């Protein structure tokens, strides 16, 4: 969990900005009450729904990429392919499969922290050793995202900026860090796909 805390802290200001922007937009810019009512959504968004929507966006991208990668490429990395560059210091960079599992491992850690539960990340932060095949990895990712959504949905106006425990991050920082961390590793996954001549699903032309 230690390596995830930096992301949570650095992304918290971004989260505060997003929530502030959302509140400003919801409050309107001084227009008439009739105009505000006509443009208001039928179900007003909440802090949890805004955060959850951000998580859903990166979840879609990651799961589509995981599904698109052939199983024989799950062991690919710049290190295993001996691509020129320093990809083995101090340890070899993660394979594609490990990238997906690392995202799942982090999601579980963030979700547990938001809920105030203790959950140690795996020894190498790459998820369970028993998760090996493409099918296993995708199932693990779906389960981890489900846990993350459940955790985010416990965030409300009263607890959003309340530390989960004395000296610990706020729920907002953890939720934003969760999304930011997932985006970080999705960016690396895109590079891996490009190295294999694959166009990421989200970059393909709409049919």
């Amino acid at each position: 969990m230690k390596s995830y805390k930096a992301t949570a802290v650095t992304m918290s200001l971004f989260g505060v900005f997003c929530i502030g922007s959302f509140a400003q937009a919801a409050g309107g810019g001084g227009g008439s009450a009739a105009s505000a009512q006509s443009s208001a959504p039928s179900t007003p968004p909440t802090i949890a729904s805004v955060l959850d929507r951000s998580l859903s966006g990166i979840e879609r991208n990651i799961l589509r990429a995981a599904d698109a990668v052939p199983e024989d490429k799950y062991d690919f990395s710049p290190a295993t392919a001996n691509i020129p560059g320093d990809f083995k210091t101090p340890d070899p960079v993660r394979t594609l499969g490990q990238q997906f599992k690392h995202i799942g491992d982090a999601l579980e850690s963030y979700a547990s922290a938001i809920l105030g539960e203790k959950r140690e990340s795996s020894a190498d932060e790459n998820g369970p050793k028993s998760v090996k095949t493409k099918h296993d990895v995708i199932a693990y990712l779906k389960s981890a995202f489900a846990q993350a959504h459940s955790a985010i949905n416990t965030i409300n106006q009263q607890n959003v900026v309340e530390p989960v425990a004395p000296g610990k991050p706020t729920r907002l920082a953890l939720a934003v860090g969760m999304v930011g961390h997932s985006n970080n590793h999705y960016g690396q996954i895109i590079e891996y796909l490009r190295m294999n001549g694959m166009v990421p699903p989200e970059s393909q032309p709409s049919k």
Side-chain angles (χ1 to χ4, degrees):
M1 184 64 188
K2 288 183 179 179
S3 66
Y4 307 141
K5 287 181 179 177
T7 304
V9 173
T10 55
M11 293 296 289
S12 61
L13 289 178
F14 170 75
V16 171
F17 170 78
C18 290
I19 297 299
S21 298
F22 159 71
Q24 183 179 18
S32 68
S35 174
Q37 288 178 357
S38 64
S39 62
S42 56
T43 303
T46 63
I47 289 173
S49 70
V50 171
L51 293 168
D52 197 64
R53 184 171 182 178
S54 294
L55 182 64
S56 292
I58 189 58
E59 176 184 15
R60 180 185 65 249
N61 294 349
I62 290 171
L63 288 177
R64 289 187 69 188
D67 185 59
V69 176
E71 180 140 19
D72 62 357
K73 293 297 183 181
Y74 265 59
D75 290 331
F76 169 86
S77 80
T80 61
N82 291 315
I83 292 175
D86 188 6
F87 298 110
K88 300 179 180 180
T89 305
D91 299 307
V93 294
R94 293 182 174 95
T95 64
L96 258 172
Q98 289 173 334
Q99 289 279 5
F100 290 124
K101 289 175 61 178
H102 175 68
I103 292 170
D105 190 69
L107 287 168
E108 290 183 335
S109 291
Y110 277 118
S112 295
I114 290 172
L115 296 172
E117 300 172 353
K118 279 205 167 188
R119 188 267 178 187
E120 294 295 332
S121 56
S122 59
D124 55 6
E125 298 185 345
N126 290 330
K129 299 290 186 184
S130 58
V131 176
K132 297 179 180 179
T133 67
K134 173 179 176 177
H135 178 271
D136 291 343
V137 171
I138 292 176
Y140 175 59
L141 270 175
K142 288 181 177 179
S143 174
F145 271 111
Q147 292 179 48
H149 283 293
S150 294
I152 279 181
N153 285 326
T154 67
I155 299 175
N156 55 46
Q157 187 70 40
Q158 289 69 44
N159 66 20
V160 63
V161 291
E162 178 183 79
V164 294
K168 299 294 184 180
T170 65
R171 290 171 178 81
L172 175 60
L174 290 165
V176 174
M178 174 192 296
V179 175
H181 180 269
S182 299
N183 273 290
N184 179 356
H185 286 277
Y186 175 62
Q188 296 178 46
I189 288 167
I190 287 176
E191 291 296 325
Y192 282 28
L193 266 61
R194 294 290 189 182
M195 289 177 184
N196 283 280
M198 296 180 63
V199 178
E202 290 300 308
S203 298
Q204 295 177 14
S206 301
K207 294 183 181 179

